[in-house]
Amino acid sequence: MPNSNAKLHSNHRGGREASRRELVSRSLQSAQHCLESQDFGTAYAHYLLVLNLAPELKTTVKETFQFTLFKWAEELDSLARIQDLFNCYEQALELYPNDEVICNSMGEHLFRMGFRDEAAGYFHKAVKLNPDFADAKENFYRVANWLVERWHFIMLNDAKRNLTYLRAIEKAVHSGSKSVLDIGTGTGILSMFAKKAGASFVYACELSKTMYELARDVVAANNMEREIKLLHLKSLDIEIPKHIPERVSLVVTETVDAGLFGEGIVESLIHAWEHLLLQPK
């Protein structure tokens, strides 16, 4: 009896496997027919089915799947079916999470729709995945020019200003401020000043995805990625101990812009004083 049951289970599994292979084969054929007739939406649906049923075929059908995705996305874009377009890219990235071509294409759609910060994130990921991907690099630099405010470059080249900040931070750290929070870190320059001055713990927050990624690269290039904790957060959203373990003894910031007249620097500094900064005894 046990042998008989094992044989039945084996036959059942074999039957399911045969059915799976048959469905995959038919779906691949249907996808090809749809491509030939330029029915990209149906072809895309068939490829999704194939890849979910037979993930071992990911490498084999990758280029054809990309072509189908991009053609279907163009149609969705022209029909203003924006949510459907994003859903398709999310599905594609679930199947190919480290595909630089799909990341770059997603970024291009986001950029054209005006979501420049989000687009920069996808371009940056594509470049990280493949540093030799020329299209992604060009796209990332192009969107960065939109997002990185020109005054960043002016400030970074202002030696007198930088020296003044460095001396002020050194004075505070040497006077006992060993934990530092940099609000709106930008390129991360003030955080690096604090670490070089001897601060034991340095935290930096940046709301802009592009500037956050840029700060990560700059900090890593200076071998400080393990010494400075970067947070992609608005300072008002920082919680203790969720994001930083305890109140800090020094807050530094350069967020002097239009935010002064809205929910910007004033609210950030009040929040930092009340919730994130050690109170004087």
Side-chain angles (χ1 to χ4, degrees), residues 150-162:
R150 293 296 182 265
W151 51 263
H152 270 292
F153 301 109
I154 296 172
M155 290 194 304
L156 289 172
N157 287 286
D158 187 342
K160 182 178 180 180
R161 165 197 158 280
N162 292 338

Side-chain angles (χ1 to χ4, degrees), residues 9-25:
H9 285 301
S10 177
N11 289 338
H12 183 61
R13 285 196 300 271
R16 284 192 303 178
E17 178 60 22
S19 297
R20 183 186 74 91
R21 287 198 300 265
E22 177 66 19
L23 182 55
V24 168
S25 177

Side-chain angles (χ1 to χ4, degrees), residues 164-177 193 197 250:
T164 301
Y165 265 107
L166 174 60
R167 287 174 175 168
I169 291 172
E170 284 179 338
K171 182 178 180 181
V173 171
H174 295 164
S175 297
S177 298
F193 282 170
L250 176 66

Side-chain angles (χ1 to χ4, degrees), residues 231-245:
L231 303 167
H232 181 215
L233 283 174
K234 192 174 184 178
S235 62
L236 295 172
D237 295 329
I238 295 176
E239 299 177 16
I240 298 172
K242 181 178 180 180
H243 302 114
I244 61 177

